[in-house]
Amino acid sequence: MAEQAIVDKEALLAELLASINQHKFAPDVAHVEIHGNQVLSRHLVEGLIVEAETIEDGVKVHIRVKKGITLKNPVNFCFGLIPDNGVQRIIIDTVIGEGAHAKFIANCTFPNAVNIQHLMNATITVERGASLSYFERHVHGPNGGVTIVPVTKVFVAEDARFSTEFELIKGAAGVIELDYGAEVEKNATVDMMTRVFGREEDRIHIKEAAHLSGEGSTGVLTSHIALKNRASATIENELIADAPYARGHVDCKEIVQDDARARAIPVVQVNDHLAHVTHEAAIGSVDSKQLETLLSRGLTEDEATDLIIQGLLS
Amino acid sequence: MNLLEIKNLSLFKEGRPILNSLSMDIWEGHVHAIIGPNGAGKSTLANTIMGLSGYRDFEGDIFFEGKSIKSLSVDERARKGITLLFQEPARFEGLGVSQFILAGAEDKSRAIVEDALQRAGLPPEKYMARAVDKTLSGGERKRIELASIYAMKPRLVLMDEPDSGVDIDSVKYIFSVIRELRHMGSTVILITHSPEVLKHADHAFLICAGTLVDKGEMSRMFDYFNGKCVPCVHVGQPTVDAAVQPLTAN
Ligand SMILES: Nc1ncnc2c1ncn2[C@@H]1O[C@H](COP(=O)(O)OP(=O)(O)OP(=O)(O)O)[C@@H](O)[C@H]1O
Ligand SMILES: [Mg+2]
């Protein structure tokens, strides 16, 4: 029985990694694989602490990069569910210690999803002078049976940097309720980027918010969305600058095809006359000049549109 | 032999004639120039030959290899071998330089990209990994456009001010691409304001207020740039009512 469980665990791990085209990691690469509410495998490196605790429908994870440590390689996380239905709740608490530097790559994979909920609740603290770059890539099956609700609160301390990228390009998005918020202290930087391709009946709601509360803080919020068929998306970008020399930029681009619908709600607010925030948004069909340039090279309208979308989401 | 024939082409915008009964023969394998003041209708003519939206409703006809292309879409014309270097090239967010250059190329190899970039005077190692976006300067963007056209090996290329925004040291790359295109057998139509560029043409057409006022003889065409815009009498002020003497068909 125990042997059976081990075999299952290894098979699951192999399947999970195969679904994200990942197979072997080098010994100096930290990685953690979580299937449902089970930690399948964990390999850590010096200066990195990852503690996981199973809860009924998921896991609670505490991640800490020790003060002054620079992790040479990105830490690879893989969260997923192989069955076609279920709930995976991930509660993560991450602290990047003072002056530490780390990169995290999270692959969230639901290759057979028919009815899956992936709920992520994260708090991230990037301490003074530290940096974290976080990249989350979703791999979904073709049926769109995934509801993903990532809620992340980030605190970026003085002179710290945080960047995040969320990418869902392959497979059907399903329902996305993404909510990222950051508090940005003196001379700290936050950079949030979302790239999503919505198809069929996908419903996408993205909220990216940054509060530039410290002097000289900067924030860039970018969302690039492509929608086709009957997909719909609402993008809320909120940038509030409260301190002198705070700088911010919001960039929201949505390409809409077929019967898809897109809505952008940008909020830019400046509460200090020495702060400066800019905003650019473009929603609609593919830009006609871009399209005609590619048509004039002999691409068909579909090929040209695909290439433009591929660029926007790259 | 005529590769392209423009017959009595007239195009109106807001009730105003922008192109006025133009007839032109474009000989295969030659480099032709189109010159004329700002607002003369040069870009309009190029866009109409390419079939861009807003330029499809015109009187007269355009023949490519003896067949009318009036009803063909832009991509159908491009697949016949017609392409256009835009006066102001589009910028694409995130689209890689290599991808862009290969878009119209039949041979999708890395060697083609490197060759095309080198021809345009852009070191491949510096540009291949970049995007065709707003981080490129105007001149760089123009030269990447040229590289992509070179990679396409077109039958007929319309170049709308290929030198605009390109520094004096780098125009030589534009000339070398034009020479190379000619060498490959492509026919080139050069729209330009520069006597330097004009030197690379075999023939020129002078357009004024949408009307063809002179053609042929290069020596006479250079007079245009010497301020003697004969017989174009109203440089800088193209109006419908202007007394332009159209060139009579011969
Ligand atoms: N959509 C339009 N509606 C009205 N007028 C137009 C339109 N497009 C072009 N025109 C006019 O047609 C004329 C010819 O424009 P065109 O761009 O072809 O000139 P050009 O010869 O290329 O000039 P330049 O040397 O400045 O590039 C101009 O007077 C221009 O204002
Ligand atoms: Mg023009």
Side-chain angles (χ1 to χ4, degrees):
Chain A
M1 193 64 209
E3 212 167 82
Q4 180 66 41
I6 290 167
V7 172
D8 284 353
K9 208 167 158 176
E10 276 174 7
L12 264 179
L13 180 62
E15 209 172 326
L16 210 59
L17 291 176
S19 74
I20 57 166
N21 278 326
Q22 184 81 62
H23 300 285
K24 244 183 135 62
F25 291 102
D28 57 351
V29 174
H31 57 101
V32 178
E33 285 79 23
I34 296 173
H35 180 266
N37 66 351
Q38 202 185 2
V39 178
L40 294 179
S41 142
R42 169 172 37 183
H43 172 77
L44 303 180
V45 292
E46 176 74 40
L48 170 70
I49 300 166
V50 178
E51 289 162 352
E53 163 190 345
T54 293
I55 55 172
E56 194 191 339
D57 53 359
V59 277
K60 263 189 174 168
V61 190
H62 301 275
I63 304 169
R64 190 172 174 96
V65 179
K66 289 185 187 164
K67 183 176 168 178
I69 290 282
T70 297
L71 296 180
K72 190 175 90 188
N73 294 309
V75 183
N76 286 261
F77 294 90
C78 179
F79 305 107
L81 269 179
I82 294 297
D84 59 9
N85 72 86
V87 177
Q88 183 180 47
R89 185 187 304 276
I90 312 273
I91 300 170
I92 305 187
D93 166 31
T94 300
V95 178
I96 309 298
E98 200 175 316
H101 302 284
K103 282 194 177 115
F104 291 176
I105 298 174
N107 279 291
C108 301
T109 174
F110 309 96
N112 309 310
V114 173
N115 182 17
I116 278 178
Q117 282 186 49
H118 172 72
L119 316 169
M120 170 98 75
N121 218 308
T123 53
I124 298 172
T125 305
V126 189
E127 292 184 348
R128 182 197 276 257
S131 73
L132 174 66
S133 112
Y134 179 75
F135 175 60
E136 179 169 330
R137 179 195 292 126
H138 277 247
V139 178
H140 293 186
N143 300 319
V146 192
T147 297
I148 52 180
V149 188
V151 179
T152 304
K153 290 277 158 279
V154 192
F155 177 77
V156 194
E158 194 171 327
D159 295 320
R161 306 173 68 88
F162 172 73
S163 70
T164 175
E165 264 184 79
F166 178 93
E167 177 184 292
L168 198 165
I169 298 169
K170 284 209 184 84
V175 178
I176 298 182
E177 280 286 343
L178 182 141
D179 183 351
Y180 276 23
E183 192 64 34
V184 194
E185 294 283 270
K186 189 174 173 186
N187 295 329
T189 298
V190 65
D191 191 343
M192 294 184 193
M193 166 96 196
T194 312
R195 291 186 302 240
V196 179
F197 198 161
R199 303 174 181 86
E200 304 301 338
E201 315 293 334
D202 291 345
R203 281 187 289 124
I204 296 157
H205 183 189
I206 286 165
K207 183 168 183 200
E208 292 177 327
H211 181 205
L212 306 177
S213 55
E215 188 172 327
S217 57
T218 57
V220 179
L221 310 180
T222 310
S223 5
H224 288 177
I225 316 289
L227 301 169
K228 63 194 276 187
N229 310 125
R230 291 157 307 281
S232 66
T234 300
I235 315 297
E236 292 180 68
N237 294 120
E238 186 182 289
L239 202 49
I240 298 173
D242 266 345
Y245 309 109
R247 292 277 177 277
H249 181 65
V250 172
D251 167 12
C252 173
K253 302 217 171 70
E254 297 181 67
I255 293 180
V256 183
Q257 294 176 269
D258 309 322
D259 296 321
R261 283 173 299 133
R263 201 153 70 110
I265 310 171
V267 175
V268 285
Q269 187 179 329
V270 169
N271 298 323
D272 187 295
H273 74 283
L274 293 173
H276 188 76
V277 174
T278 52
H279 162 244
E280 71 178 297
I283 310 185
S285 57
V286 176
D287 178 83
S288 64
K289 182 129 191 205
Q290 294 177 352
L291 189 67
E292 287 193 319
T293 300
L294 295 174
L295 293 178
S296 77
R297 302 296 130 82
L299 272 66
T300 63
E301 195 160 330
D302 282 348
E303 288 167 344
T305 304
D306 285 352
L307 197 58
I308 293 165
I309 289 176
Q310 207 184 315
L312 183 77
L313 299 180
S314 74
Chain B
M1 198 196 105
N2 283 344
L3 182 65
L4 189 84
E5 260 181 87
I6 297 162
K7 283 242 164 81
N8 301 318
L9 177 64
S10 294
L11 186 132
F12 297 80
K13 288 267 182 202
E14 293 159 8
R16 194 165 81 86
I18 306 293
L19 300 178
N20 199 353
S21 198
L22 278 181
S23 291
M24 290 160 80
D25 289 345
I26 304 297
W27 299 339
E28 180 150 27
H30 288 236
V31 177
H32 307 259
I34 297 178
I35 54 174
N38 291 137
K42 304 178 299 296
S43 295
T44 303
L45 176 60
N47 297 348
T48 308
I49 297 170
M50 195 68 241
L52 303 187
S53 66
Y55 300 89
R56 300 184 57 87
D57 193 12
F58 59 85
E59 289 170 13
D61 213 337
I62 303 172
F63 299 91
F64 185 73
E65 296 183 305
K67 290 202 190 87
S68 171
I69 54 169
K70 200 170 178 172
S71 63
L72 300 186
S73 61
V74 179
D75 52 318
E76 284 167 336
R77 293 180 203 204
R79 285 194 292 277
K80 281 191 172 290
I82 305 174
T83 195
L84 168 66
L85 182 134
F86 287 76
Q87 183 170 357
E88 280 155 32
R91 301 193 176 250
F92 298 81
E93 194 120 21
L95 183 63
V97 166
S98 297
Q99 266 177 308
F100 178 70
I101 290 175
L102 289 178
E106 202 152 296
D107 170 5
K108 307 267 185 213
S109 70
R110 189 191 159 93
I112 282 285
V113 180
E114 288 179 348
D115 182 31
L117 283 171
Q118 245 143 16
R119 298 268 176 204
L122 301 167
E125 64 281 4
K126 213 173 137 194
Y127 287 93
M128 262 167 95
R130 291 190 63 178
V132 197
D133 61 12
K134 54 188 171 198
T135 63
L136 290 170
S137 77
E140 288 171 327
R141 178 67 194 90
K142 201 99 187 197
R143 285 153 68 187
I144 284 167
E145 197 69 14
L146 202 70
S148 92
I149 278 171
Y150 173 80
M152 184 184 166
K153 307 202 186 313
R155 302 278 318 277
L156 172 68
V157 48
L158 301 144
M159 294 190 180
D160 199 350
E161 301 192 16
D163 58 317
S164 74
V166 175
D167 66 73
I168 38 172
D169 270 349
S170 303
V171 275
K172 61 174 185 267
Y173 298 112
I174 300 196
F175 300 148
S176 109
V177 172
I178 294 171
R179 272 197 303 274
E180 198 51 38
L181 281 165
R182 180 212 286 271
H183 187 71
M184 293 189 310
S186 298
T187 303
V188 180
I189 298 179
L190 272 176
I191 294 172
T192 186
H193 289 293
S194 147
E196 279 310 301
V197 175
L198 191 64
K199 283 183 192 155
H200 294 262
D202 307 310
H203 325 268
F205 298 93
L206 174 59
I207 294 181
C208 210
T211 307
L212 183 65
V213 290
D214 202 359
K215 68 172 181 182
E217 273 274 328
M218 295 305 287
S219 56
R220 198 165 70 242
M221 292 303 177
F222 279 104
D223 287 349
Y224 167 76
F225 292 104
N226 297 330
K228 296 181 242 156
C229 188
V230 189
C232 175
V233 292
H234 56 279
V235 177
Q237 29 184 315
T239 68
V240 213
D241 319 309
V244 181
Q245 278 304 311
L247 195 68
T248 45
N250 47 9

